């Protein structure tokens, strides 16, 4: 009978915890607002509070001892009470009320062989995707969530305001101290108000296996012919105050050759932007991914002429298109994020073919999203990096 009572109490505790941490509550907590209240004019979400100077490499506290050859470690690292070194099946969020660990997300775990932290300055080459993530894998993902560090070049660009970090847009790492993004994301912004966050995945937690890194931006260069109305030449480079430390969760993406085409390729777009257009759309907590077909320039222009743009609309050469499938698209908040296409003959290796620029709505059938074409803009990128004496080896496949 006592066993039954204990089971009921545990079940009630677990049910209460699950209810207390519903997705709606998590979203409402991180964005400090009603998750259903976003509109095209709503303020950007708050990613986190931060001190004035972001850390270069986040301090990682030693795990607390809980007995001989035992440590309090994050639950995902502890399987059958023994440290998990393979990253397989690491899901267990039940709370042990009698646990000797102070943090309820921690569990007392045998530690026969302590794993070192992820080494820094480990550059393995550009564009390598981690399709199964690193350190753990999501089980039962149903909503296009990316794995942790699946796209290690992806960054969040934040704007510091009153000691809060407000999400602006996405970008991609191309060298340790240069980020590629869209000009419309950073146009007329002060460089010293922007922070680049690399290695981010779940904006709701700091308990990820490998911590993210924050860097202040020291300089912004955007295309001289950028048109803020039509978004022609929508490209910018952010130069960081201090370089990023490359590790398995932070790596650069490759860039395409000048004029390289990706028509009919199926490519990935990533971001934390809204899941749908309009006031019902919600910014995402966990990084999302979507695979999209690249649409040729003539076809895209023809399809866009069937929208409110009208039959005389001309798609500028600095753009490329992808998508046109129902409910599969990038959306508001994804601006500047990379569209990456596979490198032929090199499995799980990618080039940044485009940067999220604009669209007519989100996810409408036969209406592709429009991206800045990196291959078209590559000469400008090379010129600006050359002036700064930046080594191109980091983004060359």
């Amino acid at each position: 009978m006592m066993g039954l009572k204990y089971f009921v109490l545990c079940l009630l505790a677990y049910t209460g915890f699950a209810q207390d941490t519903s997705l709606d509550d998590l979203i409402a907590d991180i964005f400090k607002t009603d998750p259903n209240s976003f509109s095209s004019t709503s303020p950007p979400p708050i990613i986190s509070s931060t001190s004035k100077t972001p850390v270069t490499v986040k301090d990682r506290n030693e795990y607390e001892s809980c007995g001989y050859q035992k440590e309090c470690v994050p639950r995902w690292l502890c399987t059958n009470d023994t440290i998990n070194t393979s990253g397989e099946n690491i899901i267990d969020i039940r709370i042990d009320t009698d646990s000797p660990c102070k943090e309820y997300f921690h569990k007392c775990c045998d530690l026969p062989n302590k794993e070192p932290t992820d080494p820094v300055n480990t550059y393995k080459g550009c564009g390598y995707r981690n399709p199964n993530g690193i350190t753990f894998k999501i089980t039962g993902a149903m909503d296009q969530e990316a794995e942790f560090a699946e796209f290690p070049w992806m960054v969040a660009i934040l704007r510091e305001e009153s000691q809060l970090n407000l999400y602006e847009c996405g970008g991609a790492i191309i060298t340790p101290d240069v980020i590629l993004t869209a000009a419309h994301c950073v146009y007329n912004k002060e460089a010293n108000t922007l922070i680049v966050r690399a290695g981010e995945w779940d904006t709701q937690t700091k308990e990820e296996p490998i911590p993210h890194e924050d860097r202040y931006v020291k300089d912004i260069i955007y295309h001289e012919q950028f048109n803020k109305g039509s978004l022609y030449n929508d490209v910018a480079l952010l130069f960081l105050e201090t370089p990023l430390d490359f590790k398995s969760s932070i790596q650069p993406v490759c860039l395409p050759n000048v004029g390289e085409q990706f028509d009919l390729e199926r490519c990935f777009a990533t971001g934390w932007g809204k899941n749908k257009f309009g006031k019902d759309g919600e910014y995402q907590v966990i990084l999302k991914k979507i695979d999209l077909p690249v649409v040729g320039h003539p076809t895209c222009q023809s399809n866009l002429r069937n929208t409110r743009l009208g039959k005389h609309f001309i798609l500028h050469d600095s753009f490329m298109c992808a998508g046109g499938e129902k409910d599969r698209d990038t959306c508001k908040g994804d601006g500047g994020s990379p569209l990456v296409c596979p490198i032929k003959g090199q499995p799980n290796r990618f080039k940044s073919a485009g940067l999220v620029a604009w669209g007519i709505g989100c996810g409408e059938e036969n209406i592709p999203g429009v991206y800045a074409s990196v291959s078209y803009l590559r000469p400008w990128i090379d010129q600006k990096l050359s002036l700064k004496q930046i080594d191109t080896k980091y983004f060359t496949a």
Side-chain angles (χ1 to χ4, degrees):
M1 189 66 177
M2 288 297 293
L4 177 60
K5 288 181 178 179
Y6 181 75
F7 173 77
V8 171
L9 287 171
C10 288
L11 180 61
L12 289 172
Y14 178 74
T15 303
F17 174 71
Q19 289 172 343
D20 288 343
T21 56
S22 68
L23 181 58
D24 286 344
D25 288 343
L26 290 178
I27 293 173
D29 183 60
I30 185 174
F31 297 144
K32 312 301 182 189
T33 186
D34 180 352
N36 295 318
S37 68
F38 285 102
S39 68
S40 59
T41 58
S42 63
I46 298 170
I47 299 299
S48 71
S49 297
T50 157
S51 59
K52 177 62 182 171
T53 304
V55 293
T56 299
V57 179
K58 182 180 176 181
D59 294 335
R60 193 174 184 85
N61 295 330
E62 292 295 324
Y63 292 131
E64 182 182 65
S65 174
C66 56
Y68 178 69
Q69 285 290 76
K70 293 176 180 286
E71 283 188 358
C72 291
V73 301
R75 289 177 171 269
W76 60 75
L77 296 180
C78 197
T79 303
N80 296 326
D81 294 325
T82 301
I83 197 73
N84 187 307
T85 59
S86 69
E88 182 178 358
N89 299 324
I90 316 177
I91 297 294
D92 182 359
I93 59 170
R94 290 175 293 176
I95 298 175
D96 295 327
T97 56
D98 59 348
S99 172
C101 299
K102 294 178 182 178
E103 298 291 334
Y104 65 82
F105 271 120
H106 286 184
K107 183 177 182 179
C108 189
C109 190
D110 289 330
L111 196 69
N113 294 299
K114 187 172 181 179
E115 282 290 311
T117 57
D118 192 50
V120 297
N121 298 319
T122 53
Y123 170 64
K124 63 178 184 180
C126 64
Y128 284 102
R129 174 188 170 219
N130 300 306
N132 295 315
I134 56 175
T135 73
F136 72 94
K137 180 174 174 56
I138 299 174
T139 59
M142 298 294 291
D143 197 25
Q144 299 168 336
E145 295 92 350
E147 299 289 344
F148 175 69
E150 182 175 358
F151 302 94
W153 48 80
M154 184 69 197
V155 302
I157 298 171
L158 315 176
R159 176 170 50 87
E160 189 178 56
E161 184 175 298
S162 301
Q163 295 187 326
L164 294 176
N165 285 342
L166 304 179
Y167 176 73
E168 284 288 314
C169 53
I173 302 166
I174 58 173
T175 82
D177 52 2
V178 182
I179 304 300
L180 179 66
T181 189
H184 79 263
C185 293
V186 295
Y187 183 72
N188 281 345
K189 298 286 195 307
E190 294 293 331
N192 61 7
T193 66
L194 296 182
I195 296 170
V196 165
R197 177 164 293 178
E200 179 65 287
W201 180 64
D202 183 344
T203 61
Q204 184 62 42
T205 182
K206 295 181 179 179
E207 290 290 323
E208 289 147 333
I210 302 173
H212 62 250
E213 294 188 13
D214 286 352
R215 297 290 188 275
Y216 274 114
V217 175
K218 70 176 180 181
D219 195 15
I220 302 171
I221 298 177
Y222 49 81
H223 202 292
E224 295 81 359
Q225 278 75 54
F226 168 64
N227 185 306
K228 65 179 181 179
S230 62
L231 300 190
Y232 296 168
N233 303 302
D234 192 12
V235 63
L237 296 170
L238 307 184
F239 296 87
L240 307 181
E241 282 191 352
T242 55
L244 293 164
D245 293 312
F246 284 164
K247 55 186 74 173
S248 54
S249 58
I250 300 176
Q251 294 286 317
V253 71
C254 303
L255 295 188
N257 298 323
V258 176
E260 188 171 352
Q261 298 295 312
F262 299 93
D263 293 3
L264 305 181
E265 292 282 350
R266 201 150 189 104
C267 305
F268 281 106
T270 50
W272 290 276
K274 285 189 174 185
N275 57 353
K276 64 177 69 172
F277 186 70
K279 65 179 182 179
D280 294 329
E282 298 175 355
Y283 287 93
Q284 304 301 289
V285 172
I286 292 177
L287 181 68
K288 296 298 180 73
K289 63 182 177 184
I290 187 75
D291 63 293
L292 301 165
V294 173
V295 178
H297 204 274
T299 301
C300 184
Q301 177 175 276
S302 177
N303 288 0
L304 291 173
R305 285 179 173 181
N306 292 325
T307 70
R308 64 174 181 266
L309 295 171
K311 65 180 182 179
H312 299 296
F313 173 74
I314 297 175
L315 184 66
H316 194 262
D317 288 341
S318 66
F319 294 129
M320 64 170 293
C321 301
E325 297 178 340
K326 182 67 174 174
D327 297 328
R328 298 175 64 82
D329 201 356
T330 51
C331 204
K332 181 176 173 61
D334 289 320
S337 298
L339 174 76
V340 297
C341 296
I343 298 175
K344 292 179 175 61
Q346 300 189 51
N348 292 316
R349 199 174 189 194
F350 291 80
K351 294 181 178 182
S352 179
L355 307 170
V356 177
W358 59 273
I360 302 297
C362 301
E364 299 294 330
E365 193 167 5
N366 294 323
I367 305 178
V370 182
Y371 299 74
S373 170
V374 179
S375 65
Y376 177 89
L377 296 164
R378 178 68 193 269
W380 180 88
I381 296 170
D382 289 346
Q383 178 196 34
K384 299 306 177 185
L385 294 181
S386 177
L387 291 173
K388 296 259 187 185
Q389 297 183 324
I390 303 293
D391 196 337
T392 61
K393 70 177 183 180
Y394 290 104
F395 50 81
T396 302

